């Protein structure tokens, strides 16, 4: 653990602590800290941040923390701890912005149908308001695109299927998959547009720092 950069390490620790707390008292933790749509009676302003530290199950947190460890450690060493912390939360909040924006569009469609006395629209709108969103995936997807922008030619191999491709190609494939599944409605229960929001804001922030010439930390590690 002492070899893991401090921000990455502390983010993992906080996520694990909150996961344990959620396991102990799921109803309270979800009702208080998961993200709900703003018109929901369960919505609180702090949920736009706290939901990033909550997860829906063991494999959910395992893969997110594995990706945070793998990619976050490298990105933090390259751009520095302070900038990395800003980047992580910017991607997470960007993910929230796009996710809630898409939900607002859905809510608008439901309201139009509710005005026409559609019972299915009423049920769908109630489900939208009362369904919690949890996970660090928006910030994690931002880290993936940061890694790909820093090391575009690095070779990455999927576990299954065992296909090897460049980091740049890898994130493009992931973005296309997320966009397709989000628009088509496939793989419901996953906040695909939150993933895309994290990638979009990560891409914009890396480009902004790069154009200003302030991307790299003065005390970064070299490989």
């Amino acid at each position: 653990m002492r070899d893991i950069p401090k921000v990455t390490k502390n983010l993992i620790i906080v996520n694990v602590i909150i996961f344990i707390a959620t396991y102990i008292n799921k109803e309270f933790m979800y009702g208080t800290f998961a993200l709900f749509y703003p018109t929901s009676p369960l919505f609180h302003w702090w949920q736009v941040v706290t939901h990033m530290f909550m997860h829906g199950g063991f494999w959910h947190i395992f893969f997110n923390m594995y990706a945070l460890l793998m990619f976050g450690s490298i990105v933090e060493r390259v751009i520095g701890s302070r900038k990395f912390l800003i980047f992580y939360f910017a991607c997470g909040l960007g993910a929230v912005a796009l996710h809630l924006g898409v939900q607002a569009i859905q809510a608008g469609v439901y309201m139009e149908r509710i005005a026409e006395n559609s019972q299915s629209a009423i049920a769908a709108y109630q489900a939208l308001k009362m369904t919690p969103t949890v996970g660090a995936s928006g910030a994690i997807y931002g880290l993936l695109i940061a890694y790909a922008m820093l090391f575009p030619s690095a070779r990455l191999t999927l576990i299954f299927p065992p296909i090897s491709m460049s980091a740049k190609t890898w994130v493009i494939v992931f973005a296309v998959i997320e966009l397709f599944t989000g628009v088509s409605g496939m793989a419901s229960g996953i906040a695909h547009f939150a993933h895309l929001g994290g990638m979009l804001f990560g891409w914009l922030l890396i480009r902004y720092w790069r154009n200003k010439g302030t991307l790299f930390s003065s005390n970064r590690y070299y490989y």
Side-chain angles (χ1 to χ4, degrees):
M1 287 290 287
R2 66 184 179 185
D3 293 329
I4 304 172
K6 61 182 179 181
V7 173
T8 299
K9 177 169 62 178
N10 287 326
L11 286 172
I12 292 173
I13 290 171
V14 172
N15 273 278
V16 171
I17 290 173
I18 292 180
F19 179 73
I20 294 171
T22 303
Y23 182 79
I24 294 171
N25 193 338
K26 186 174 182 178
E27 183 177 350
F28 170 77
M29 293 296 291
Y30 265 73
T32 307
F33 300 114
L35 176 65
F36 287 87
Y37 189 66
T39 60
S40 170
L42 295 176
F43 174 78
H44 300 286
W45 63 266
W46 59 77
Q47 293 172 354
V48 298
V49 175
T50 57
H51 85 283
M52 289 190 277
F53 295 94
M54 298 189 64
H55 291 85
F58 173 77
W59 293 112
H60 189 199
I61 189 172
F62 175 82
F63 285 114
N64 273 349
M65 294 304 99
Y66 181 66
L68 175 56
L69 177 62
M70 284 184 61
F71 299 104
S73 296
I74 297 172
V75 173
E76 182 177 350
R77 288 190 178 108
V78 172
I79 69 175
S81 296
R82 180 177 175 275
K83 195 176 271 97
F84 176 78
L85 184 62
I86 293 171
F87 181 83
Y88 186 88
F89 280 102
C91 291
L93 294 175
V96 172
L98 188 58
H99 176 66
L100 291 180
V102 171
Q103 283 192 319
I105 294 173
Q106 292 176 321
V109 173
Y110 295 149
M111 294 303 291
E112 290 179 1
R113 293 174 57 195
I114 289 172
E116 299 170 356
N117 266 338
S118 171
Q119 295 302 308
S120 62
I122 294 174
Y125 183 58
Q126 288 300 317
L128 183 147
K129 291 197 302 180
M130 303 307 293
T131 301
T133 299
V134 296
S137 300
I140 299 300
Y141 271 73
L143 295 181
L144 295 182
I145 201 163
Y147 179 85
M149 293 176 75
L150 293 169
F151 308 101
S153 299
R155 303 298 294 179
L156 299 174
T157 303
L158 298 174
I159 297 174
F160 183 81
I163 299 174
S164 184
M165 62 186 77
S166 69
K168 181 179 179 179
T169 303
W170 196 62
V171 296
I172 291 173
V173 169
F174 264 67
V176 170
I177 291 173
E178 290 296 328
L179 181 61
F180 174 76
T181 50
V183 172
S184 66
M186 296 175 62
S188 61
I190 299 175
H192 299 289
F193 287 101
H195 298 168
L196 289 170
M199 296 182 81
L200 174 62
F201 275 72
W203 179 77
L204 290 172
L205 193 50
I206 291 293
R207 280 184 58 88
Y208 172 75
W209 282 333
R210 181 174 281 169
N211 291 339
K212 285 190 66 178
T214 60
L215 176 60
F216 299 109
S217 168
S218 59
N219 60 346
R220 66 186 181 274
Y221 292 77
Y222 291 88
Y223 297 87

